[in-house]
Amino acid sequence: MMATITANLPVFVVIAPLFVAFILPTFAHRLRLVEGLVMAVEALGLLGAGYLASLILLQKGIPIVYSMGGWSAPWGIELMVGNLSAFFLLVVAGVTLPVALFSIDSMSHEVGGPQRISRFYVLYLLLSGALAGMAVTNDLFNVFVLVEVATLSCCGLVSARNHPRAAEAAFNYLILATLGSALILGGIGFLYIVTGHLNMGFASQELSCVWQDYSHVVWIAASFLLVGFGVKSALFPLHVWLPDAHSTAPSPASAILSGLAIKGYLICLIKVLYVVFGNTLMQEYAMHRILVLLGMIAIIAGSLLALAQDELKRRLAFSTVAQVGYVLLGLGLVNTKGLTGTLFHMASHAVIKSSLFLAAGAMISATGKSRIIEMAGIGRKMPVTMAVFTISSLGLVGIPLFSGFIGKWYLLLGSLGAGNSLAAVVLIAGSVLCAAYLFPIIRIAYFEPVSVEEDWQDPGMPQKIALILLAAGVVILGIVPGPFLELAGRAAADLLVIQ
């Protein structure tokens, strides 16, 4: 029995949220049932991801392979759960569950009535399933399909908010995301023309043999994929859709978009660069240098843009642009420390940014105000919410004993190991700038007097539990990184072995 469950678990964690999303509209008039189904499938996803991660750790990284329809690769679609897949599955499940919990009984003021909320949950589960699929797929065309499912779900989540700006933000996102999709499809098409394979493993083997005969085509494919995924993941200066989309979306949507959706596109980029091209070709085409340069620019530019914002959610949105820079920089270091730091930073940022957006949404909902200066004294009125915001801010800055420190420390070690002192300086400067745009929020919330006596309160019990769970994740990952860091280290080693 357990053997059957284990063998089919890689596809179950993808299919389950997609199936529930399909049947959810049937129960749209029964909101409690809809919320219960969403929580159940997310809880099952977390159990499945945890079980798969424990198996991979016990098996010393030996992957679990599932062939769709019984057709083995290269003829069939292959799902593979290795160190990288298990790591990202755990991140997805660990964040989607508390975010779903936060959304219970708190969506009506942002989304509308029960039917609109049910449609929101449909899109939420579609995105969850697509992200899980991105983690386990080993097929290039499946990458494109899942990217499209995620993109359309994200656009729907942005437009779900009952606000005039939501439609415009979603439309802008859709236009630019469509351009990114076209480039991704073009890059995959070029790789298929050169290698004759869509399976990543077989495509990599063939590419290593024939790339010199098609060097220009391979370079075009790499360029298309880098720019396409750069648009999707809001890499500076391709980020122009993100601030409006993430700041306008309902709070749970903002949390999942910034915390996870962007990471899904980055995981796909990691797979394409390291699994298909391999680190040898990356260095042959100097892609590692381009990634480091783009990452450094994004860290500084995103931080400066965040510093200039006076709206709370827009400041957090621009912060995401800077954090994407850390990931790109780490990918370009092409060493174990740098890649370990990149992967751990992705997990840390997923938890941190989700909690920041949820806390910000709770504050905006309670006060009716969105500007930072208008939230003077809110720390005394909403102690739980602001405590979570403070813990997450300390984590994002990279203070020791919080999760952000671990990822940034490994990125710093990777930069020094690669002999890139400029990257190390930029990493430190990014943390200083991060403190410059987050600490003033904390100061205003705790130490500025309230101009008018307001009756602001922490959100309801489900929201407080969700916020506390995410804040606990920030602290636990900082003090006892344990299995997460081990999975990240093993995944980094696996990626560097591929030639």
Side-chain angles (χ1 to χ4, degrees), residues 9-25 37-46 89 92-93 96 120-133 146 149 153:
L9 204 49
V11 70
F12 175 78
V13 294
V14 181
I15 294 297
L18 298 179
F19 174 75
V20 175
F22 178 75
I23 66 171
L24 215 55
L37 286 171
V38 172
M39 289 299 299
V41 76
E42 294 296 353
L44 287 173
L46 181 57
L89 272 178
V92 170
T96 52
F120 175 90
Y121 282 127
V122 169
L123 296 167
Y124 186 88
L125 290 180
L126 287 174
L127 180 56
S128 298
L131 291 169
L146 292 165
V149 173
S153 301

Side-chain angles (χ1 to χ4, degrees), residues 235-291:
L235 172 63
F236 183 88
L238 307 173
H239 69 286
V240 292
W241 59 267
L242 183 141
D244 288 336
H246 287 198
S247 62
T248 305
S251 298
S254 298
I256 207 75
L257 292 176
S258 183
L260 286 180
I262 285 192
K263 309 303 184 306
Y265 304 131
L266 289 172
I267 283 291
C268 292
L269 178 61
I270 290 172
K271 286 187 174 186
V272 168
L273 290 179
Y274 277 91
V275 177
V276 179
F277 288 94
N279 63 80
T280 302
L281 278 184
M282 282 179 62
Q283 296 185 63
E284 186 69 33
Y285 285 102
M287 283 188 277
H288 63 303
R289 295 177 183 171
I290 295 171
L291 290 170

